[in-house]
Amino acid sequence: RARLASEQADRVAMLNAERRRELAPVSLLELVLARVCRQITGILETLPIQLRRQSTALTTEDLALIEREIVKVRNLAASVELKLTEDEDGSFGDPQSDPLRAEAA
């Protein structure tokens, strides 16, 4: 009975958190992230063209470097996977397999 009561209390707490917008379904988060990533990619891909038009100081090599870095970022973003395992420090995922967290560590 105590276990059932605890589970019911957890369910009600989660529903309340959703109503307060403290929690969101993973599928909704994935959709929002995908939309934002598409917008960011569009902006990043036009950046070399805009720089070429607005700057006479940048060389072809400079622009090629910028394009290569944009490709790296785009590939990194495309390889991101949602990891739903919580680490001891309260963060999610494995810093060894996460290039962004590995650089910060």
Side-chain angles (χ1 to χ4, degrees):
R1 287 184 194 188
R3 182 173 175 206
L4 176 60
S6 175
E7 291 295 323
Q8 289 173 336
D10 286 349
R11 185 173 54 86
V12 170
M14 287 182 70
L15 288 173
N16 289 337
E18 283 182 32
R19 287 186 190 119
R20 289 189 302 266
R21 297 182 155 234
E22 295 170 351
L23 294 177
V26 171
S27 59
L28 177 61
L29 295 174
E30 287 175 335
L31 290 174
V32 170
L33 285 173
R35 182 179 300 151
V36 170
C37 286
R38 282 192 298 274
Q39 292 171 343
I40 291 170
T41 298
I43 293 168
L44 287 175
E45 287 180 349
T46 64
L47 189 59
I49 296 166
Q50 291 178 7
L51 290 171
R52 188 173 288 129
R53 288 180 186 159
Q54 295 181 6
S55 176
T56 56
L58 292 173
T59 67
T60 303
E61 292 81 20
D62 295 334
L63 293 169
L65 172 65
I66 292 167
E67 288 177 7
R68 283 193 306 272
E69 292 302 312
I70 289 171
V71 168
K72 283 183 194 177
V73 170
R74 191 178 59 222
N75 290 341
L76 177 63
S79 69
V80 170
E81 295 179 15
L82 271 176
K83 295 181 181 179
L84 299 178
T85 57
E86 189 171 359
D87 294 340
E88 291 176 14
D89 64 356
S91 60
F92 288 85
D94 178 12
Q96 300 303 323
S97 65
D98 184 346
L100 294 177
R101 287 182 57 205
E103 286 177 12

